[in-house]
Amino acid sequence: MAVRPISKDIVLSKAKSLNIPCYEQEAEKITECINVILRSYERLDEIVEVVPEVKYGRTCGHRPTTDQNPYNAWYYKCDIKGAATGKLSGKRVGIKDNTAVAGVPMMNGSKIMEGYVPEFDATVVTRVLDAGGHIVGKAACDDMCFDAGGFTNSIAPVLNPVDKRHLAGGSSSGCAALLAAGEVDLAVGGDQGGSIRIPAAWCGVVGLKPTYGLVPYTGAMAMLPCIDHLGPMTRNVSDCALLLEVLAGYDDGRDPRQIQDVSTQDYTAILSKDLTGMRIAVVEEGFHGAQQEVEQVVRNAALKLKDLGAVVESVRVPIHPDGFHIFTPLTMEGAYQTMMKDHGFPAGLRGTRFLSLLDEVAHRQTSRPFNFSEPLRLAMILGKHLMTTYKGRFYARAQNLVRLLTAEYNKVLESYDVMIMPTTLKTAPNVLLQDSSVAERLTAGSGLGRNTAPFNATGHPSLSVNAGHVGGGLPVGMMITGRHFDDATVLHVAYAFEHIRDNPTFTSI
């Protein structure tokens, strides 16, 4: 892209817009200096970049027919075979449609991005293929991932295979629905406020938001770097541990969310049905406002862990209800800054930028604003208002309070191995009708992340496992949260519970 020389009139205009005094004679000299600096920009566009290798052949695939997509859970179907052998050999894998697969369209659930085709594989995609996984398609998600209900995908809401009258949850809605329907064995989801765990809970599958930075985000569409997570979604805990082994690890500086010494473990080897010596904290504040049946199922599930040798005790974490309030400015103001102003690639952070994606986001968000979903419109309007009116003060205060929130959870985790609470406070709601009101569409996903979102802010590993079912057969998720980079213990507790739950004598309530 050619960088054109700047004129004195442009300098004066920009200075005025910035409220910076600039006089005629000064403007002439500034113009001369700027045009010298712009030579670096011209040279920059001439230097050949090192781009990630696309290692495995593929065709672009196809949009599924209605018969091939009974739950609206697919965006695109494809057929990409990885290495001949590996940990994921023989496994069918779905990739959330916020994550790039070279040559396969990526819509991110939104008409804004419809028609964009990345030329690169996200790091997690390459790792799946290197491990022998078979990528069979892109899973539908909420519009720009900016909702948790599973109904804002611009093609159609994602239906829950447990009961098609109910939503699958979001924003990794397609991943959870495809797993529950048996159409994939594994899926890679994304979580910025509960978007792996909420649909996992509602569809009765397993979803892990790993420790922040454990799984590289390189090649996925960002919402806000400090809350962005990719992670495994599966039908059982052992597969979740297996997929985490493949996904986790340092990405050679490509992802600014990672520190260099990312700590990984042999997650499958640590799984055990024995919880002797484990101490488990049931967080009382996590049950506030829960449906009575949801509370009963999760409390019963937690108490069952005593049968495997664990100590299970009730604890108080008074700050927990405020965790959602602390998280809210991050996602409103931070997402506005990242998605609208920085086009998904915030300034000031090292790491890989994919220029085709940046260019597409920058162009489409200005040329297609009428395609924004109603929840996304609300968030962008509010984010801009808060950032311009209060100059980022509340965002800054929220970031400061994240340290306090983290410290309070860590105090509990000094005495206990994991914390337990419901993933969501209610079971999957009914599908919104086409004639639903604006108010219904704006509020349908409101508050769903009250228990999940705080751990996006603090970065603790957090997993949803099916705790049982309530009347009508709808699943209830139990959320298990552990210490930073101790994802293995979270998986261990979930695996042990799964063993109890699958015993024929187990009852949910």
Side-chain angles (χ1 to χ4, degrees):
M1 179 185 291
V3 179
R4 294 185 294 273
I6 199 168
S7 69
K8 184 180 74 173
D9 288 343
I10 291 176
V11 168
L12 289 168
S13 174
K14 297 299 181 187
K16 184 177 180 181
S17 70
L18 292 167
N19 200 30
I20 294 173
C22 187
Y23 305 104
E24 285 280 338
Q25 187 175 5
E26 183 182 27
E28 289 180 4
K29 294 302 178 184
I30 288 175
T31 302
E32 291 175 12
C33 289
I34 285 175
N35 284 326
V36 171
I37 293 169
L38 289 180
R39 293 173 192 165
S40 292
Y41 285 76
E42 285 285 353
R43 177 57 188 151
L44 192 70
D45 221 31
E46 297 170 352
I47 302 170
V48 178
E49 280 189 76
V50 177
V51 296
E53 177 189 4
V54 177
K55 299 170 65 175
Y56 301 91
R58 79 281 310 267
T59 59
C60 69
H62 65 279
R63 283 279 295 273
T65 64
T66 302
D67 290 343
Q68 294 172 327
N69 202 15
Y71 307 106
N72 307 321
W74 290 111
Y75 168 49
Y76 235 77
K77 300 195 81 172
C78 60
D79 183 9
I80 307 173
K81 292 182 172 66
T85 61
K87 291 183 177 182
L88 303 185
S89 181
K91 300 283 191 181
R92 300 165 300 162
V93 185
I95 305 294
K96 184 177 180 180
D97 190 38
N98 73 330
T99 302
V101 179
V104 181
M106 181 167 81
M107 188 177 176
N108 201 18
S110 178
K111 289 181 179 176
I112 294 172
M113 296 300 297
E114 191 169 21
Y116 170 63
V117 181
E119 76 286 5
F120 55 92
D121 281 337
T123 296
V124 292
V125 169
T126 300
R127 290 182 178 180
V128 163
L129 294 170
D130 282 345
H134 178 192
I135 294 177
V136 293
K138 301 293 295 292
C141 60
D142 276 284
D143 192 309
M144 300 297 280
C145 298
F146 215 94
D147 205 80
F151 66 91
T152 65
N153 183 281
S154 62
I155 296 174
V158 179
L159 309 179
N160 195 324
V162 177
D163 185 337
K164 290 177 70 172
R165 296 171 299 178
H166 295 264
L167 290 165
S171 62
S172 304
S173 45
C175 293
L178 292 169
L179 286 163
E183 296 192 39
V184 297
D185 303 306
L186 313 169
V188 179
D191 194 314
Q192 278 109 353
S195 289
I196 284 174
R197 291 158 290 162
I198 291 169
W202 286 0
C203 292
V205 300
V206 177
L208 171 66
K209 182 202 75 64
T211 297
Y212 177 73
L214 179 62
V215 172
Y217 202 83
T218 316
M221 290 191 68
M223 184 178 293
L224 177 64
C226 66
I227 61 173
D228 290 333
H229 298 71
L230 296 178
M233 299 178 71
T234 58
R235 278 194 292 278
N236 58 64
V237 176
S238 58
D239 275 350
C240 190
L242 178 69
L243 184 51
L244 184 62
E245 285 182 2
V246 169
L247 300 179
Y250 186 55
D251 194 23
D252 298 326
R254 296 184 183 91
D255 182 9
R257 299 161 187 80
Q258 292 189 307
I259 56 175
Q260 190 156 350
D261 58 343
V262 172
S263 176
T264 64
Q265 294 174 271
D266 189 355
Y267 301 105
T268 53
I270 299 170
L271 297 178
S272 168
K273 299 170 186 175
D274 183 11
L275 297 181
T276 301
M278 286 273 189
R279 292 179 54 79
I280 294 171
V282 178
V283 178
E284 291 299 319
E285 288 80 2
F287 293 84
H288 291 178
Q291 289 176 354
Q292 185 177 1
E293 288 181 308
V294 168
E295 178 170 358
Q296 288 178 314
V297 167
V298 175
R299 288 193 185 277
N300 178 65
L303 289 174
K304 291 288 186 183
L305 298 175
K306 290 183 177 181
D307 296 342
L308 297 175
V311 173
V312 180
E313 295 178 340
S314 172
V315 301
R316 295 281 182 181
V317 186
I319 199 173
H320 176 71
D322 285 325
F324 187 75
H325 303 305
I326 293 169
F327 167 83
T328 297
L330 303 183
T331 189
M332 292 296 173
E333 297 171 64
Y336 161 73
Q337 181 72 32
T338 298
M339 297 170 70
M340 296 296 291
K341 299 195 72 177
D342 295 331
H343 314 306
F345 295 96
L349 297 176
R350 294 185 177 183
T352 298
R353 267 78 170 155
F354 294 101
L355 296 185
S356 68
L357 180 56
L358 186 151
D359 289 343
E360 289 290 338
V361 172
H363 168 69
R364 290 163 181 267
Q365 286 182 341
T366 53
S367 65
R368 300 186 183 183
F370 45 84
N371 286 146
F372 278 34
S373 69
E374 285 149 330
L376 186 58
R377 291 180 203 180
L378 182 155
M380 296 301 101
I381 292 168
L382 177 58
K384 181 175 177 62
H385 167 72
L386 292 166
M387 290 294 281
T388 54
T389 304
Y390 301 102
K391 315 302 180 187
R393 181 182 186 278
F394 291 102
Y395 176 85
R397 183 164 175 78
Q399 287 285 16
N400 291 342
L401 289 171
V402 167
R403 294 179 61 83
L404 174 62
L405 183 65
T406 304
E408 291 301 306
Y409 290 135
N410 286 344
K411 283 181 186 177
V412 177
L413 292 169
E414 287 174 5
S415 302
Y416 296 90
D417 295 286
V418 297
M419 300 181 289
I420 280 178
M421 63 188 78
T423 309
T424 61
L425 302 177
K426 62 182 182 180
T427 53
N430 292 329
V431 175
L432 289 178
L433 300 176
Q434 288 185 332
D435 60 353
S436 59
S437 68
V438 172
E440 287 173 319
R441 295 193 296 275
L442 283 172
T443 58
S446 178
L448 291 177
R450 291 195 181 277
N451 280 345
T452 56
F455 299 111
N456 287 83
T458 65
H460 290 89
S462 189
L463 175 149
S464 182
V465 63
N466 181 26
H469 300 79
V470 300
L474 292 175
V476 173
M478 176 170 70
M479 192 168 71
I480 305 169
T481 302
R483 304 181 187 102
H484 291 113
F485 293 102
D486 192 16
D487 301 60
T489 296
V490 172
L491 288 160
H492 177 183
V493 174
Y495 179 81
F497 170 72
E498 200 174 57
H499 171 66
I500 297 175
R501 186 202 65 201
D502 292 344
N503 189 304
T505 62
F506 177 80
T507 55
S508 295
I509 297 176

